[in-house]
């Protein structure tokens, strides 16, 4: 399979986001992000993009002591979409002029600059879906991109306790959950140990205590809490208590 160009995907997802919200009411509530409206959603996404870009430009080698960034945020929420587009342009220039395979601190599994490009992509994609859903549009996600997003989520979730503290509860007596894509290749086995959890490399042939089957897009939205596990197209099997424990504590 051809490797995905995460940098190009950031640009494409941001363009779709901007197109959806540029003429929308910024006060419109966003069901996927309770207590947020569209202005909050755009501001959050643009702020994350600008912060990640600064980290990439500095090639930091240890956790940053501050998240203070010159956001250059416009006063009027109606100007936020154009501001988000500018953030993506600045990110693209940083991607083009840097070595994305260079070693760099990251909070997740991949300690290279490319981590931040991939993280920026799925931060943007999921919130693009949030915006379109709030506007009554039917979000569409490229299946290959969605499958990569499932992998990125599950690989990094064990490292996310700083901002997703409930993940510390994802423990078990050697229990396993399999997530299987139904519209192409994609199979992920998560092992819950008594004191940790994580993806099992090459776990396709192992028996799982519980399974979740859906299209790549639905798996991605399910993992991010944007789709109910009782939704049509989601197939659950095995240990119901284990699945309930996972979904109660894996919110990102």
């Amino acid at each position: 399979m051809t490797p995905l160009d995460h940098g190009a995907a950031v640009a494409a997802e941001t363009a779709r986001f901007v197109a959806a919200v540029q003429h929308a009411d910024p006060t419109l509530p966003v069901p996927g992000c309770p207590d947020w409206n569209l202005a909050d959603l755009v501001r959050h996404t643009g702020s994350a993009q600008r912060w990640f870009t600064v980290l990439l430009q500095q090639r930091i080698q240890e956790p940053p002591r501050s998240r203070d960034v010159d956001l250059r945020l416009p006063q009027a929420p109606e100007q936020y979409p154009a501001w988000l587009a500018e953030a993506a342009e600045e990110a693209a220039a940083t991607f083009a002029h840097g070595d994305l395979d260079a070693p760099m601190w990251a909070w997740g599994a991949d300690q290279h600059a490319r981590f931040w490009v991939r993280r920026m992509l799925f931060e943007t994609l999921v919130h693009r879906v949030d915006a379109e859903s709030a506007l009554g549009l039917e979000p569409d996600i490229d299946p290959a991109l969605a499958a990569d997003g499932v992998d990125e989520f599950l690989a990094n979730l064990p490292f996310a306790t700083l901002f997703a503290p409930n993940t510390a509860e994802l423990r078990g007596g050697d229990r396993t959950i399999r997530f299987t894509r139904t519209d192409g290749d994609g199979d992920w086995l998560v092992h819950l140990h008594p004191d940790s959890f994580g993806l099992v490399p090459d776990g396709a042939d192992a028996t799982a205590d519980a399974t979740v089957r859906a299209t790549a897009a639905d798996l991605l939205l399910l993992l991010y809490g944007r789709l109910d596990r009782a939704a049509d197209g989601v197939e659950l099997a095995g240990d119901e208590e284990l699945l309930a424990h996972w979904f109660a504590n894996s919110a990102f």
Side-chain angles (χ1 to χ4, degrees):
M1 185 173 64
T2 303
L4 293 172
D5 185 336
H6 293 127
V10 169
E13 288 295 325
T14 306
R16 290 184 63 175
F17 196 154
V18 170
V21 301
Q22 60 184 346
H23 300 303
D25 178 359
T27 67
L28 184 71
V30 179
C33 299
D35 301 324
W36 281 10
N37 58 28
L38 278 182
D40 297 324
L41 188 73
V42 178
R43 182 174 63 244
H44 167 82
T45 307
S47 298
Q49 287 198 4
R50 289 178 186 272
W51 185 55
F52 293 177
T53 297
V54 167
L55 296 181
L56 283 164
Q57 291 169 345
Q58 296 177 349
R59 286 292 189 273
I60 62 171
Q61 300 301 319
E62 59 183 23
R65 294 183 176 86
S66 171
R67 293 187 60 164
D68 290 340
V69 173
D70 182 8
L71 296 176
R72 304 188 296 281
L73 183 70
Q75 289 189 346
E78 291 77 12
Q79 297 176 315
Y80 286 3
W83 168 82
L84 174 58
E86 291 171 0
E89 291 173 2
E90 185 175 345
T94 300
F95 302 161
H97 294 96
D99 178 7
L100 300 184
D101 292 324
M104 178 180 169
W105 175 85
W107 62 258
D110 185 3
Q111 297 290 297
H112 294 85
R114 59 183 178 250
F115 168 90
W116 293 102
V117 185
R118 198 181 185 202
R119 182 83 291 277
M120 188 187 298
L121 166 58
F122 294 109
E123 183 81 11
T124 304
L125 185 155
V126 170
H127 289 319
R128 183 268 294 176
V129 170
D130 288 332
E132 291 178 345
S133 297
L135 290 162
L137 304 173
E138 187 66 33
D140 176 68
I141 306 175
D142 176 81
L145 207 58
D148 189 61
V150 171
D151 186 80
E152 195 264 354
F153 181 95
L154 292 174
N156 289 320
L157 192 63
F159 303 90
T161 54
L162 182 63
F163 49 86
N166 281 358
T167 57
E169 302 301 320
L170 291 175
R171 305 290 184 260
D174 293 324
R175 309 293 283 168
T176 54
I177 304 174
R178 182 181 305 286
F179 297 89
T180 299
R181 176 185 174 189
T182 59
D183 59 343
D185 293 336
D187 189 278
W188 299 267
L189 185 69
V190 177
H191 194 154
L192 278 67
H193 302 279
D195 59 354
S196 64
F197 76 99
L199 276 175
V200 178
D202 302 320
D205 297 327
T207 300
D209 296 297
T211 61
V212 181
R213 289 171 48 84
T215 65
D218 282 352
L219 281 177
L220 183 67
L221 296 179
L222 183 66
L223 289 168
Y224 274 95
R226 267 61 174 190
L227 182 69
D228 192 281
R229 61 184 186 273
D232 292 341
V234 177
E235 305 170 27
L236 306 178
D239 189 332
E240 295 180 4
E241 185 176 343
L242 177 61
L243 289 171
H245 181 64
W246 170 269
F247 287 110
N249 293 287
S250 59
F252 200 94

